[in-house]
Amino acid sequence: MEGDQAADELKRIVTQSTGAWAGCFKNILLGVSGGLDSSIVASVLSERGAQMTCFTMITDDPTGDERLYARMLTRHLRQPLVEKFHNAGEVNLAESNSLHVPRPNFYALGQSTKAAKFDLAKAIPYDGFFSGVGGDNVFCFLSSATPLVDRVRKEGLGAGAWATAIDICDMTDCSLFDVVMMAAKRMMDGDVSYKWRTNSDFLLPDAPGTAVLDLHPWLDAPTDALPGKAVHIAMLARIQGTIDGYSRRRRETQITPLICQPVMEFCLGIPTWLWCAGGQNRSVARRAFAGQLPPEIISRRSKGGPSGFAFDLIMENRAVLRELILDGELVRHGIIDKVAMDAVLVEETLRHSDKHLRIMSIADAEAWARHWS
């Protein structure tokens, strides 16, 4: 499969699938960030004439302010845009968003987005919420040398492998030597499976369930699999944990058209080296929708997020977190290292720590555990 052929077919399948979903709703609210994935969904909905309103969340931290790109997108598509600031007052770190599912899997900061959408529903009675969630996963956003490994295994050493090595250099800002050495190491490893990793930050070494990562047999890659494609499949497995639960507080149909079955199946058939062609991540998707989106969005390589908002929440709620976590179920059951957590939940330490998202996930797990206990 060549790059142009893959792009044309991807555009057709994404357009048909997203368009089919759009036909199920009278009024759509679309979450946009100005990034590639949500912009692709926006362009298809607009082309299909869907009745929609675009919606973006903003943080006081400039790294989470995507209005420049969101406005650029909506002006280009001639669609309305609603902008809402994240509100710390809407977030309760002692309340889990995951009470209705069998495991904690949502950050508490999502409460701010839910509150904004709830208010918006009063003015815009939308019946479906669409997003570009999963785009990075299905469009194979890799930052490793595995596409080179795949191409060498499939085609051997040659001009194609050389071109992919250069593409990976351009995409990752690594040297050619580093890319070749990483690929060689991966090939000599012999194990084509994806290496699943756990995060042990703030966990006790002998915490229950942390000694062995018990994987489902379906996650075992066949011996003849390509390692880059094994990573692609693992990425799709990972995203399932963030989309399989809906809040019971407000019934809302959430649609993630980029990871519906036809799109997923087709993308899995695209060689990994095509996804980094030209030194751009998600290259096939960029090429597919280049004629429908502003060049600034098609070529965009970075994107902001609510990390700064999460940091502010942790800093402002140190006392709440100390009470919640240090005297909680996870400590009582020998899962959390109380000494390590106590040491980090100090203003000066937190200010220079990069563990705020990890702390937030532990807080959500604690709130979830308290609910069930």
Side-chain angles (χ1 to χ4, degrees):
M1 183 185 300
E2 298 297 326
D4 288 337
Q5 177 190 359
D8 290 344
E9 188 66 6
L10 177 63
K11 181 179 180 181
R12 183 186 70 80
I13 293 173
V14 169
T15 299
Q16 285 186 346
S17 299
T18 305
W21 276 115
C24 300
F25 303 94
K26 294 180 179 179
N27 201 341
I28 293 171
L29 182 66
L30 170 65
V32 297
S33 62
L36 178 67
D37 306 323
S38 59
S39 296
I40 286 175
V41 176
S43 71
V44 174
L45 292 176
S46 181
E47 182 187 39
R48 287 301 180 100
Q51 180 68 36
M52 72 169 181
T53 300
C54 295
F55 165 69
T56 191
M57 291 296 293
I58 311 157
T59 68
D60 292 326
D61 181 355
T63 61
D65 187 346
E66 297 287 341
R67 283 177 292 183
L68 172 65
Y69 289 97
R71 290 170 181 173
M72 183 186 301
L73 169 70
T74 51
R75 279 198 304 268
H76 180 82
L77 299 178
R78 298 180 180 179
Q79 296 293 340
L81 173 66
V82 175
E83 304 167 351
K84 294 278 189 180
F85 274 90
H86 276 289
N87 181 1
E90 298 288 355
V91 179
N92 180 2
L93 295 179
E95 179 180 328
S96 173
N97 291 346
S98 310
L99 301 182
H100 56 288
V101 292
R103 66 188 184 283
N105 63 346
F106 297 108
Y107 289 130
L109 60 85
Q111 296 170 18
S112 176
T113 302
K114 289 183 178 181
K117 287 162 62 180
F118 183 79
D119 289 341
L120 190 56
K122 299 172 185 176
I124 305 172
Y126 64 92
D127 55 344
F129 179 74
F130 281 53
S131 76
V133 166
D136 287 351
N137 308 70
V138 74
F139 295 152
C140 198
F141 190 164
L142 293 178
S143 297
S144 71
T146 49
L148 175 57
V149 177
D150 285 6
R151 192 158 197 179
V152 171
R153 285 181 179 244
K154 198 73 175 177
E155 300 178 355
L157 293 170
W162 175 259
T164 296
I166 298 299
D167 288 338
I168 295 172
C169 290
D170 293 340
M171 184 177 67
T172 62
D173 292 326
C174 287
S175 69
L176 182 60
F177 176 81
D178 287 340
V179 169
V180 171
M181 290 305 294
M182 286 188 288
K185 182 179 179 181
R186 190 75 175 85
M187 291 191 72
M188 289 187 292
D189 180 27
D191 183 4
V192 298
S193 300
Y194 174 71
K195 307 297 190 297
W196 292 87
R197 295 176 176 84
T198 58
N199 186 345
S200 60
D201 289 345
F202 303 112
L203 300 183
L204 288 168
D206 55 348
T210 59
V212 179
L213 183 62
D214 230 355
L215 295 179
H216 194 285
W218 289 356
L219 296 177
D220 293 336
T223 55
D224 60 345
L226 297 175
K229 192 52 64 176
V231 176
H232 192 183
I233 292 170
M235 292 166 67
L236 289 169
R238 251 184 214 286
I239 194 63
Q240 303 306 313
T242 65
I243 62 173
D244 64 354
Y246 298 105
S247 172
R248 275 30 174 191
R249 293 186 173 184
R250 179 176 185 271
R251 293 181 180 179
E252 177 182 80
T253 303
Q254 301 193 42
I255 305 299
T256 50
L258 297 183
I259 48 177
C260 64
Q261 185 174 341
V263 179
M264 213 184 293
E265 289 182 350
F266 179 71
C267 288
L268 283 172
I270 298 175
T272 53
W273 57 86
L274 288 184
W275 289 111
C276 63
Q280 288 186 310
N281 60 64
R282 298 166 289 174
S283 178
V284 180
R286 294 178 192 274
R287 187 182 304 190
F289 290 90
Q292 291 182 221
L293 292 170
E296 295 87 349
I297 290 177
I298 288 294
S299 62
R300 191 179 183 196
R301 298 180 65 171
S302 62
K303 189 164 71 70
S307 181
F309 179 57
F311 179 80
D312 291 340
L313 283 172
I314 295 295
M315 291 297 295
E316 293 171 10
N317 289 274
R318 296 186 305 279
V320 173
L321 289 168
R322 293 184 70 85
E323 180 180 352
L324 177 70
I325 298 175
L326 299 183
D327 299 324
E329 294 293 323
L330 301 182
V331 167
R332 189 165 69 85
H333 284 82
I335 297 173
I336 295 297
D337 186 338
K338 184 175 182 178
V339 174
M341 186 60 71
D342 184 34
V344 79
L345 290 176
V346 176
E347 180 177 2
E348 191 58 29
T349 306
L350 273 178
R351 195 172 299 282
H352 301 287
S353 172
D354 60 352
K355 304 296 185 184
H356 50 287
L357 288 176
R358 176 61 171 171
I359 295 170
M360 187 164 285
S361 67
I362 290 174
D364 185 66
E366 174 59 37
W368 178 89
R370 289 191 181 195
H371 167 76
W372 289 106
S373 63

